[in-house]
Amino acid sequence: MIRVAVVDDQALMRAGFRALLDAEDGIEVVGEAADGEQGVALVRAQLPDIALIDVQMPVMTGIEATRLIAADPALSAVRVVILTNYGLDEYVFEALRAGASGFLLKDTDPADLLQAIEVVAGGEALLSPAVTRTLIGEFVSRPPDRSTVHGLEHLTRREREVTALAARGLTNEEIAAHMVISPFTAKTHISRAMTKLAARDRAQLVVFAYESGLVTARAPESRCAPDTPDHTLGR
């Protein structure tokens, strides 16, 4: 059973999410909150697997709430999916830096929302194609700030290589084929890199790769692995 908390300042939106999720086998809504502060309290009380959090709310924004959740060791198992009505501009980068594992528009098809919950609950990072383009565009527009990023020196050569490939959107299977290693070994390298960098998930690892300058952003239209699924940052 995937346990979900819904945090949104619009009562109608919360009701819609609850109706959709409660109707799905294997998903349970454990509570609702109307602002970020209430949302953090709800997450701490219920320890859901997934917190669906609106990006713009009174009292405390979704990004601020996400940052508090991600920073609390007691909530390390909680994954945040940010929801918004907006055009995915300045919020994308900040949400991922804050610790979000997913980012979706509120007008996402219900089936895609349910898939997103399953993907994130399974430990993956989820980004829609529009978010991916925006994210890469953000990195293209700014130079890496190595002074604010620490930990690269602790990675082995292999760990740096798999981190760079993950940042290009490759799955573990594609990384394994590229490096001529087994998928299990690729996954092990990714896991070790995440541990050394204190990355909650693959999305955080990708942010680190770009911020540290380990990977140089290319044009948003460029794709390293055309067959990589658009909705995840790899498996």
Side-chain angles (χ1 to χ4, degrees):
M1 183 67 69
I2 301 174
R3 304 173 72 251
V4 180
V6 178
V7 185
D8 195 297
D9 62 327
Q10 299 179 35
L12 185 60
M13 190 64 66
R14 294 197 306 273
F17 282 131
R18 177 180 279 277
L20 172 65
L21 298 177
D22 279 342
E24 187 72 10
D25 292 337
I27 297 179
E28 174 191 9
V29 176
V30 298
E32 303 174 18
D35 62 54
E37 188 172 83
Q38 292 179 13
V40 173
L42 172 63
V43 168
R44 286 173 174 161
Q46 295 294 332
L47 296 179
D49 301 299
I50 302 292
L52 293 179
I53 300 182
D54 184 21
V55 71
Q56 287 284 61
M57 292 182 292
V59 184
M60 179 186 294
T61 69
I63 291 177
E64 291 170 333
T66 298
R67 188 173 291 113
L68 288 177
I69 292 170
D72 190 338
L75 305 179
S76 61
V78 179
R79 294 292 177 260
V80 174
V81 174
I82 292 287
L83 297 164
T84 182
N85 285 319
Y86 303 95
L88 308 178
D89 41 30
E90 73 273 16
Y91 300 115
V92 178
F93 187 71
E94 291 305 318
L96 291 175
R97 288 193 67 186
S101 295
F103 200 106
L104 292 171
L105 289 171
K106 287 186 179 180
D107 62 1
T108 295
D109 185 84
D112 290 338
L113 175 61
L114 295 173
Q115 182 189 26
I117 290 174
E118 293 178 0
V119 166
V120 176
E124 305 293 346
L126 181 142
L127 293 176
S128 70
V131 172
T132 301
R133 288 192 295 270
T134 302
L135 177 63
I136 294 176
E138 174 69 25
F139 287 124
V140 167
S141 68
R142 64 169 73 184
D145 184 3
R146 294 174 177 82
S147 65
T148 64
V149 179
H150 306 284
L152 186 61
E153 68 276 9
H154 299 307
L155 299 185
T156 65
R157 180 181 61 82
R158 282 297 213 184
E159 289 164 356
R160 291 188 186 202
E161 187 174 356
V162 298
T163 297
L165 291 172
R168 292 299 190 197
L170 272 68
T171 65
N172 288 345
E173 289 75 15
E174 290 165 339
I175 291 173
H178 182 87
M179 298 177 64
V180 195
I181 57 178
S182 71
F184 177 79
T185 300
K187 183 177 181 179
T188 298
H189 285 316
I190 289 287
S191 297
R192 288 176 177 169
M194 289 172 58
T195 298
K196 290 181 179 180
L197 299 173
R200 283 170 60 92
D201 56 30
R202 209 169 179 115
Q204 294 262 287
L205 193 66
V206 170
V207 170
F208 174 89
Y210 282 101
E211 286 199 312
S212 66
L214 182 63
V215 174
T216 301
R218 298 175 294 186
E221 293 77 16
S222 180
R223 294 285 302 277
C224 180
D227 55 343
T228 300
D230 279 332
H231 61 278
T232 68
L233 281 172
R235 294 187 296 275

